[in-house]
Amino acid sequence: MFTYYSMLIVGVFLIIGAVFIFIPMFINRVYSLVNIGKILGCLLLGVLLLAITLPSLKYVVFKQYDVVSGRCVIDIDNSSRTSEVDFDMQDTNEIFTFRDIPKLDAYGKAIPYYCKVTVTKDHNFEVSYKIVSINFNYINYTNLVKYSI
């Protein structure tokens, strides 16, 4: 959800920034190539970010979430500066990414778990997850973060 809110806020600020660059340029009637490039860049990037996030806004505001559950494989990605964990849902062939790494004994394709991933109704943004062991049916790790606006 941090990714969702940050994309939404950056998109709004980019569009507002494009408007604030355009207003003095329009009033003074000085159309420089640099300012036109700034306006178009900010406007296009802001519209792109809002086009990605606004369709999911009604699901986030009204907390209409969907739970995807089933067998999953947990992969850790340490290639970048921050570590991420990928939940590869075997039943639905969907991959969900979270920033915090669960504290489990083992990871990888050889160790399947049963996962419950809470996502928005359109399955674009992840909210939380629960990991349950297949053999023992107990909760190994829970990531329940309460987000509110």
Side-chain angles (χ1 to χ4, degrees), residues 17-78:
V19 169
F20 279 123
I21 294 172
F22 177 74
I23 290 173
M25 187 176 75
F26 183 73
I27 291 172
N28 297 334
R29 305 268 187 220
V30 177
Y31 302 105
S32 66
L33 187 61
V34 173
N35 282 343
I36 292 173
K38 286 179 189 177
I39 290 170
L40 288 178
C42 288
L43 193 62
L44 288 176
L45 191 59
V47 167
L48 176 70
L49 289 175
L50 288 180
I52 293 171
T53 57
L54 282 182
S56 299
L57 183 64
K58 64 181 177 181
Y59 303 127
V60 173
V61 169
F62 295 121
K63 297 185 191 293
Q64 296 176 348
Y65 301 136
D66 191 16
V67 177
V68 179
S69 59
R71 293 175 54 101
C72 68
V73 175
I74 301 170
D75 291 326
I76 304 296
D77 181 21
N78 290 332

Side-chain angles (χ1 to χ4, degrees), residues 80-130:
S80 63
R81 183 179 295 180
T82 60
S83 299
E84 294 179 341
V85 61
D86 294 329
F87 289 85
D88 185 8
M89 303 300 286
Q90 301 294 312
D91 299 335
T92 60
N93 291 329
E94 292 179 296
I95 297 175
F96 301 107
T97 303
F98 289 92
R99 289 181 174 254
D100 58 332
I101 297 176
K103 296 172 181 72
L104 299 174
D105 295 334
Y107 306 99
K109 295 184 180 187
I111 298 101
Y113 288 98
Y114 184 81
C115 301
K116 293 181 180 180
V117 179
T118 306
V119 294
T120 56
K121 286 270 188 190
D122 55 358
H123 291 219
N124 284 339
F125 296 99
E126 300 87 1
V127 178
S128 65
Y129 63 86
K130 290 181 186 178

